[in-house]
Amino acid sequence: QASRLVELPYSSFDEDDDDNEDTEHDPGVWYPDPPKLSPFSHCVRYLAILWNLLFLLLGLLALALGVWGLLAKSPLPGGLPLGSDPMLLFVLAGLAASTVSLAGCLGTLRANPCLLRFFLGAVLAFGGLQVLGGLLLLLARRRLRDALRDLLLLCLLRYQQDPDLQFLVDEVQRSLQCCGLESYRDWESNPYFNCSAPGVQACGVPASCCLQPLQNGSVPNAQCGFGALALEAAVAGSLLNVGGCGAALGAWLRGQAGLIAAGAITLLLLEAVGALMALRVLGDI
C-alpha cells in the first residue's frame, strides 16, 4: 500500500487556499466599517441636490425657450444663418447649465466621484470665464462701446429680417425714447425704410420712434412713422424721438452698472456655494 502512494507536485495554490482559510477563520483580523456621515454632511448633500435641481430647471427652461424660438422661425427668414440667431444663445446656455447641474445632482445622489469632479471643474471654469470677462470689460470699455454701436447698427440693418431683433430694437427705442443709432436719419441705411425702397415703408421709421405710438390713447398706430424721413427736422421732432439710441443706451448702462455688478457677484457666490458643497461631498466619499 505504501508503494502505491504517489507524491503530488507542490503548487502555490495550496498555500493561497490555506492562507484564505486562515484569514476567514482568524478572529483577530479587523475589517473597518465605512464611516458614517454626520448630520452636517447629510444636510450638505440634501442642499446640494436641491441646488442642482433648481439650476437644472432653470437650464431646461432656457433650453426650451431657445428651441421654441428657433422652431417658431423655421425656416429662418431672409436666409439668415443659424449661428447669427440670438435664440441660439439661450439654447447653448440652457444646454450647458442643465448638463452641469444634472451631473452635480446625480453625482451627489449616487456619491459618484467622477460626476462630482466634472461638476466641480465646470463650475470653476464658468466662474473663471466670468471673472475674465469682467476684467476685459473694465480694460476695454472703449472697444465695448464700439462693439455695442456695431451691434445696434446690425440690428437696424436686419430689422425686418429677424423678429427677435425687431422686438429688441422696438423695446429699446420705446423705453429709452430714442430712434436710430445717432439720430432718426440712421434708418435710411435700412433697405426697407430707405427713400428709394419700393414698399409702403419707404422714407419712414418704425412706429416705436413715434412720440405717440398709440392712436386715440389705446390702439397701436403702425403707420405713425411713415414718410418721417422726408419731413423737415423741426416737423419730424414734433412727431418722433429724433435722438439716437447709442448715447441713451450708454447712459442707461452706466446708471445700471451697480445693479449689473451686484447680479454678477451674486452669481459668482452661488457658483462658489455649489463648488464648496461638491468639495464637501467629495471629502465624505
Side-chain angles (χ1 to χ4, degrees):
Q1 293 179 352
S3 62
R4 295 178 181 178
L5 295 177
V6 178
E7 184 178 358
L8 296 176
Y10 171 77
S11 175
S12 61
F13 292 102
D14 298 335
E15 187 175 340
D16 295 339
D17 294 339
D18 295 339
D19 293 340
N20 292 335
E21 292 177 0
D22 295 340
T23 304
E24 291 176 359
H25 299 287
D26 187 4
V29 179
W30 176 68
Y31 296 96
D33 295 330
K36 295 182 179 180
L37 295 178
S38 63
F40 179 73
S41 297
H42 281 291
C43 182
V44 169
R45 288 199 175 190
Y46 295 146
L47 289 177
I49 292 174
L50 293 177
W51 189 93
N52 285 286
L53 282 178
L54 175 62
F55 279 88
L56 176 61
L57 293 177
L58 293 177
L60 291 177
L61 180 62
L63 179 61
L65 179 63
V67 172
W68 172 80
L70 291 177
L71 293 179
K73 298 185 295 182
S74 180
L76 294 177
L80 292 177
L82 181 63
S84 63
D85 196 288
M87 299 305 293
L88 187 62
L89 295 176
F90 287 91
V91 175
L92 295 178
L95 185 62
S98 57
T99 301
V100 174
S101 300
L102 181 61
C105 186
L106 293 178
T108 305
L109 188 62
R110 304 295 298 175
N112 190 309
C114 182
L115 290 177
L116 287 174
R117 291 191 182 97
F118 168 75
F119 168 78
L120 185 60
V123 170
L124 293 178
F126 289 158
L129 290 177
Q130 292 170 15
V131 173
L132 181 61
L135 293 177
L136 291 178
L137 290 179
L138 293 176
L139 296 176
R141 287 177 293 182
R142 180 174 298 180
R143 293 185 179 181
L144 176 62
R145 289 195 296 266
D146 295 340
L148 185 60
R149 291 170 58 88
D150 295 339
L151 179 60
L152 288 176
L153 182 59
L154 179 64
C155 292
L156 295 182
L157 294 176
R158 295 184 175 180
Y159 177 80
Q160 299 286 9
Q161 300 175 349
D162 195 321
D164 294 325
L165 294 180
Q166 182 176 352
F167 173 79
L168 179 62
V169 170
D170 286 337
E171 287 298 316
V172 169
Q173 292 188 148
R174 190 178 295 112
S175 59
L176 298 181
Q177 297 181 353
C178 57
C179 185
L181 181 60
E182 298 292 340
S183 69
Y184 73 102
R185 289 288 180 182
D186 293 330
W187 283 104
E188 294 180 355
S189 59
N190 187 285
Y192 293 90
F193 292 104
N194 190 279
C195 291
S196 60
V200 294
Q201 295 178 335
C203 222
V205 295
S208 57
C209 291
C210 299
L211 293 176
Q212 297 179 353
L214 299 179
Q215 187 176 5
N216 297 327
S218 60
V219 181
N221 185 8
Q223 300 180 359
C224 63
F226 283 10
L229 295 177
L231 301 175
E232 296 290 336
V235 178
S238 63
L239 300 175
L240 308 173
N241 295 307
V242 295
C245 294
L249 185 58
W252 181 84
L253 289 176
R254 287 190 297 269
Q256 301 295 323
L259 184 60
I260 295 174
I265 293 175
T266 302
L267 182 58
L268 285 176
L269 290 177
L270 289 175
E271 292 174 351
V273 169
L276 290 176
M277 290 189 295
L279 284 175
R280 175 70 185 192
V281 176
L282 272 176
D284 293 335
I285 296 175

